[in-house]
Each structure stands twice: as structure tokens, then as C-alpha cells.
Amino acid sequence: GQQLNQSPQSMFIQEGEDVSMNCTSSSIFNTWLWYKQDPGEGPVLLIALYKAGELTSNGRLTAQFGITRKDSFLNISASIPSDVGIYFCFMEYGNKLVFGAGTILRVKS
Amino acid sequence: EAGVAQSPRYKIIEKRQSVAFWCNPISGHATLYWYQQILGQGPKLLIQFQNNGVVDDSQLPKDRFSAERLKGVDSTLKIQPAKLEDSAVYLCASSRGRAVNNEQFFGPGTRLTVL
């Protein structure tokens, strides 16, 4: 099945630092979505990307759809304690819906 | 607008027993999904319904798992008999249409422990 590789697997950063994570695939996609999961909750959609090269912001979050259509980056600026959670990339491959393994973010205040 | 409701929130059973989970999606959402999330992994799609028809159930272990969506609204997911490796969080989600073009809204999940 299609694999989505997320890196890093986990991050432990100081409050106020910027964060960067990415998701890569061996296949080309037309859409990249980023979700965040808080402990004990279901994932929540953060950002959706629909065009190669697209750069989209949502508050302190910025995501980019790679020009090759095989990768995507998510950046968080000036991290705060509530940014703690697991960040997943997600897309549709054929008719299959696939989540990456996630990047765990921990923030030291 | 009320979110996706799931019950129970927690369930502990012994292997070879049966268990059922219930999901009530957001009103008006045609598409419903069941995901299995094993600790440390991303959610894995088990089955996707469009109204009361199955769109994809290719990753559903059909020898022990079954799901139905009566009248295109509520859905139940059943495991019979359960195995140790079924221990996971079972997430239900719904959306107005296809997941890549419509936001999926997730319920809080049911945490299943199989002893």
C-alpha cells in the first residue's frame, strides 16, 4: 500500500521556537491535508493544499505543497504549549485514504 | 452544530469476546468513515460509507470485523471474535463529501483493550 513518510518522528522544543516538519511520498498527489490530534481526541483539519507550489497560512501555521507533488511541509511559528499533539499528513491514493505515521510535538514552557 | 458522537469511550474485553461500537455522524454528512488507530501509528481506514453504501472496505478484516450504516445515518462497527492485536482506538469520522475535498470531522474515539 501507499506509504507516507513523516519526519521527524518526534520533536521536543522550547516555547517560542519555530517548528518544521514534512511528509514525503513516492507517488504524486493532487491534494495534501494536514491534521492535528490532541491527546484523547480525534484529528482536526489544519490546512488543505490543492496545487503544486501552493503556500497556505492559517494563523501561525504555514504549509507548502511541494513543486514535485510528492512532498509537503508544515511550519509552526513561535510555538506555544497548546501546539502539543501529533501532526499527520493525509491524502487520497487512488480510492484509498492514507494518513502518515505522525510527528509528535512536545513544547517546553 | 453537534459533533460526531461515539460510544462507548472505553471498552475492555477478553480475547475471543465480541464488541460493538456506535457512531452518530454530523447531521447531513453523507460520508462516514471508521478508522483503527494503533498506539504510535496514524489512523488506518477500515471502511468508508457513502450514505448507506460501502465505498471502500479493502482494509477491513472481514473474517472478524463487520460494519453497517442503517438508513445512511448511524453506524455500528463490530468485532467478533476479538484478538489481542485489535487493541486500538477506533475513530469514526464524517464529511459532506469526498475526504480530500471536504473536511472530515472526527469523534473522540473508542479505546478498546483486549486482554
Side-chain angles (χ1 to χ4, degrees):
Chain A
Q2 177 59 39
Q3 298 278 347
L4 297 176
N5 301 307
Q6 285 193 247
S7 66
Q9 284 189 323
S10 65
M11 306 173 71
F12 194 13
I13 62 169
Q14 190 72 39
E15 182 178 358
E17 287 184 358
D18 295 344
V19 171
S20 185
M21 61 189 78
N22 69 357
C23 186
T24 62
S25 168
S26 57
S27 299
I28 292 173
F29 293 102
N30 293 321
T31 306
W32 287 85
L33 305 177
W34 285 92
Y35 280 82
K36 181 197 177 197
Q37 186 174 28
D38 289 333
E41 304 286 335
V44 174
L45 181 66
L46 297 176
I47 284 182
L49 301 161
Y50 295 107
K51 200 162 57 170
E54 179 181 1
L55 185 71
T56 297
S57 294
N58 179 4
R60 294 178 297 106
L61 305 179
T62 302
Q64 183 158 25
F65 193 156
I67 198 70
T68 65
R69 292 164 58 196
K70 292 185 177 181
D71 58 6
S72 178
F73 298 86
L74 177 69
N75 297 315
I76 305 172
S77 62
S79 58
I80 60 177
S82 61
D83 291 334
V84 164
I86 308 176
Y87 292 79
F88 294 102
C89 55
F90 170 89
M91 63 278 300
E92 184 179 43
Y93 177 73
N95 285 325
K96 311 300 180 190
L97 304 179
V98 181
F99 275 91
T103 292
I104 300 170
L105 178 63
R106 298 184 181 92
V107 179
K108 284 186 289 187
S109 51
Chain B
E1 162 177 85
V4 176
Q6 290 188 247
S7 67
R9 288 297 309 273
Y10 305 92
K11 190 73 176 178
I12 300 174
I13 61 173
E14 295 192 347
K15 60 183 179 184
R16 291 188 288 273
Q17 285 188 322
S18 303
V19 65
F21 312 128
W22 173 81
C23 173
N24 181 232
I26 292 173
S27 177
H29 281 193
T31 312
L32 185 147
Y33 317 79
W34 283 103
Y35 289 88
Q36 179 193 58
Q37 187 174 22
I38 292 171
L39 187 64
Q41 299 181 15
K44 182 181 84 171
L45 181 69
L46 294 177
I47 189 167
Q48 177 184 350
F49 292 96
Q50 180 76 16
N51 296 308
N52 60 348
V54 175
V55 174
D56 178 25
D57 63 356
S58 57
Q59 297 196 94
L60 186 74
K62 298 181 186 64
D63 57 332
R64 298 184 300 106
F65 286 64
S66 65
E68 60 182 5
R69 189 181 185 197
L70 298 175
K71 299 181 183 177
V73 183
D74 292 8
S75 178
T76 56
L77 177 69
K78 297 179 182 176
I79 308 175
Q80 179 179 9
K83 293 185 175 181
L84 296 177
E85 60 261 35
D86 298 332
S87 294
V89 174
Y90 290 84
L91 294 164
C92 178
S94 70
S95 64
R96 291 191 181 280
R98 288 179 61 207
V100 289
N101 296 321
N102 295 271
E103 180 175 356
Q104 290 182 80
F105 293 87
F106 284 81
T110 296
R111 181 176 297 277
L112 174 67
T113 302
V114 182
L115 302 175

